[in-house]
Amino acid sequence: MSNRKLTTRAARPLLAAMVLCLMLGCEGTTDIERLRQEMYNQSRFEPLEKNTFFADQRASRPWIKGTVARGQLRTDAHLYTGMVNGKPAETFPFPITRKVIQRGRERYNIYCTPCHGYRGDGRGMVVRRGMKQPPSYHIERLQNETPGYFFDVMTNGFGAMYSYASRIKPRDRWAIAAYIRALQLSQNATLEDVPADVRERLENE
Amino acid sequence: MAQLFPRGSNAFARVSIVAVLVVVGTGLSILLNTNRLHYTTDVQVAKKQPVPFSHKHHVTGVGIDCRYCHTSVEESSFANIPPVETCMTCHSQIWTESPLLEPIRESYRMGNPIEWVRVHDLPDFVYFNHSIHVHKGIGCQTCHGQVDQMPLMWKVNTLNMEWCLECHRAPEKFVRPREEVFNMTWKPTDEQGHAVSQVALGAQLIKEYDINPSTDCSTCHR
């Protein structure tokens, strides 16, 4: 009998110690979802996670100045800067096919329509909510601009418009420039010149 | 010598065998099902964010495409949370006085990051990749729900293993044409726009896109 008592007396603090150990994992929260998640997190970092090791606390590190990542060597000035001999290029760095224009249309609709609108008239949704109105692509000055100029505006921004270089890859920027050219040409054409699928959308606007 | 156990203990011993099974079984199933509960996985719980960013306003109201902000969702495992610079492409010009946007402006000036609260977070021992799902025609809405109606972000699925497998075992119930992946209100239709059954369309797309999701453990646990 007294043996049994001894074991229970020893078991209690042991049990308490075990529960305490488990609770140490709680890191000061009682939210059950957080508790569950904390047991699932390993000591490695996912993209954009917090890392207190660095002064700015970002686990995803910015590129070190002057280094070139694999596959990021950019020697083709025409393709990557849009400049030829210090002037905006008058040609595209690769042949423009129907596929490129289609890609350009898709990318244009994602990144440019909020402000420039589907027709490129500068009356997108955000402009209607108070954004500075960009010029229409169909004014004479922009009709006469080179493809390299449009590439440059996307790469470096222009006035109130920010740069899109971090979000749109160089080839896609050229594809957008090609699509803008197609938009401009279509403005001087009649509706019958437009492919059926595009025409339908234009008519619905 | 007197018997150590009275006669009644036989019955007690038999009952206790069953009782142990019942108790252990109930315990295990409570544990398993707790893991499935919306309560423990925070499904349908809107998370408070440092800036009350509304997908409803920006996607439905302003009509911005997911990829304007989640730039890498098509070509990487990670969808990307936009940097404040992306917000500033518009908010340097509009709603510039809004107190709600002060953390964004401050972050842009000072370069300190915004700490968004994660809503979807798989355990670190699970490998997930957005690009394959987007390319094989799984819509954002299938996994994330009607994001375009969310004033604050919440989860609509538990992200449990059984949820992943439900689709990996029967993808025809979920696939859609690639062009419709970013469409939040897509319904299965044929080329003429007539409603068709998801399973019929799904079976056709599975052939066309050569879809064959794996259920091997090493697909998701690498």
Side-chain angles (χ1 to χ4, degrees):
Chain A
M1 223 26 188
S2 68
N3 230 353
R4 181 104 159 269
K5 253 193 200 142
L6 207 73
T7 30
T8 36
R9 213 180 292 155
R12 263 188 220 139
L14 218 75
L15 205 76
M18 269 162 66
V19 170
L20 259 177
C21 282
L22 283 176
M23 280 167 68
L24 281 182
C26 299
E27 289 179 20
T29 171
T30 49
D31 181 337
I32 189 148
E33 195 264 348
R34 288 313 314 158
L35 289 177
R36 187 174 168 276
Q37 201 60 49
E38 268 158 22
M39 287 193 270
Y40 278 161
N41 284 344
Q42 300 168 346
S43 51
R44 70 169 167 81
F45 293 99
E46 296 186 340
L48 306 186
E49 210 170 295
K50 183 173 175 168
N51 181 348
T52 46
F53 179 78
F54 296 105
D56 64 0
Q57 314 213 326
R58 293 176 213 233
S60 302
R61 306 307 305 153
W63 282 354
I64 295 167
K65 271 223 170 78
T67 57
V68 177
R70 225 173 101 193
Q72 299 287 325
L73 185 62
R74 299 183 157 184
T75 48
D76 185 343
H78 189 177
L79 177 62
Y80 292 113
T81 64
M83 295 287 177
V84 172
N85 300 329
K87 278 203 301 236
E90 296 185 5
T91 54
F92 289 93
F94 50 85
I96 300 305
T97 59
R98 193 183 161 80
K99 237 179 130 183
V100 172
I101 302 227
Q102 270 165 355
R103 173 81 182 169
R105 179 171 78 192
E106 187 190 66
R107 296 295 117 176
Y108 177 88
N109 287 350
I110 298 169
Y111 295 108
C112 314
T113 46
C115 300
H116 290 274
Y118 282 100
R119 269 181 287 184
D121 54 6
R123 296 186 38 75
M125 229 15 194
V126 187
V127 174
R128 283 182 236 168
R129 307 285 176 97
M131 180 87 192
K132 175 176 178 182
Q133 180 166 357
S136 162
Y137 293 143
H138 309 299
I139 61 174
E140 206 177 319
R141 176 172 66 86
L142 289 178
Q143 291 233 348
N144 295 329
E145 277 299 354
T146 56
Y149 179 76
F150 289 98
F151 184 90
D152 182 63
V153 171
M154 281 179 257
T155 309
N156 299 316
F158 181 92
M161 178 180 143
Y162 278 43
S163 158
Y164 283 76
S166 62
R167 277 184 279 164
I168 314 177
K169 299 221 167 85
R171 282 186 159 267
D172 286 341
R173 273 176 253 155
W174 285 110
I176 291 176
Y179 178 64
I180 291 177
R181 181 81 338 135
L183 271 180
Q184 291 173 330
L185 292 175
S186 75
Q187 201 67 4
N188 296 327
T190 59
L191 207 57
E192 274 64 45
D193 294 337
V194 182
D197 53 330
V198 186
R199 195 190 314 155
E200 201 176 316
R201 220 197 36 247
L202 289 179
E203 279 168 344
N204 286 342
E205 256 184 40
Chain B
M1 205 174 94
Q3 271 185 316
L4 213 49
F5 294 102
R7 188 166 278 277
S9 351
N10 282 345
F12 181 73
R14 280 194 206 100
V15 169
S16 62
I17 292 174
V18 181
V20 164
L21 284 180
V22 169
V23 168
V24 171
T26 320
L28 278 180
S29 74
I30 287 176
L31 271 181
L32 273 177
N33 283 307
T34 313
N35 208 24
R36 289 187 180 138
L37 284 183
H38 287 181
Y39 177 65
T40 33
T41 48
D42 266 8
V43 168
Q44 313 267 321
V45 176
K47 292 283 172 82
K48 200 169 178 306
Q49 300 285 357
V51 177
F53 176 79
S54 159
H55 280 83
K56 189 173 180 203
H57 267 139
H58 289 86
V59 176
T60 308
V62 191
I64 315 175
D65 191 285
C66 311
R67 290 163 286 183
Y68 190 92
C69 296
H70 303 299
T71 43
S72 56
V73 73
E74 289 172 302
E75 61 239 22
S76 128
S77 59
F78 186 62
N80 194 28
I81 299 294
V84 287
E85 197 195 337
T86 301
C87 313
M88 291 301 278
T89 55
C90 292
H91 289 299
S92 61
Q93 293 267 321
I94 55 175
W95 296 78
T96 48
E97 301 297 318
S98 167
L100 295 179
L101 283 160
E102 183 50 32
I104 299 282
R105 292 191 293 268
E106 190 197 306
S107 163
Y108 189 68
R109 277 196 308 270
M110 316 297 284
N112 49 332
I114 299 269
E115 289 189 39
W116 299 108
V117 176
R118 280 204 80 149
V119 181
H120 303 77
D121 195 0
L122 287 172
D124 285 0
F125 54 78
V126 181
Y127 174 79
F128 177 78
N129 193 323
H130 272 99
S131 64
I132 180 98
H133 292 94
V134 172
H135 280 287
K136 298 278 178 168
I138 307 292
C140 314
Q141 185 238 342
T142 307
C143 298
H144 293 300
Q146 296 268 178
V147 170
D148 61 333
Q149 299 300 327
M150 297 181 185
L152 279 175
M153 180 57 62
W154 62 75
K155 271 196 291 203
V156 299
N157 288 302
T158 56
L159 308 193
N160 279 348
M161 179 161 139
E162 77 180 329
W163 172 72
C164 309
L165 290 177
E166 209 175 296
C167 175
H168 276 218
R169 287 193 183 122
E172 67 276 4
K173 289 190 201 142
F174 304 97
V175 286
R176 54 172 80 185
R178 278 188 194 121
E179 314 79 78
E180 305 293 345
V181 163
F182 297 91
N183 185 345
M184 287 289 123
T185 52
W186 179 80
K187 295 264 179 325
T189 53
D190 61 13
E191 267 116 58
Q192 284 81 44
H194 302 301
V196 292
S197 95
Q198 167 68 49
V199 178
L201 180 71
Q204 186 192 329
L205 289 172
I206 280 178
K207 272 209 208 89
E208 197 178 325
Y209 298 163
D210 190 18
I211 294 176
N212 186 16
S214 155
T215 48
D216 296 345
C217 314
S218 61
T219 307
C220 308
H221 305 295
R222 315 194 157 186

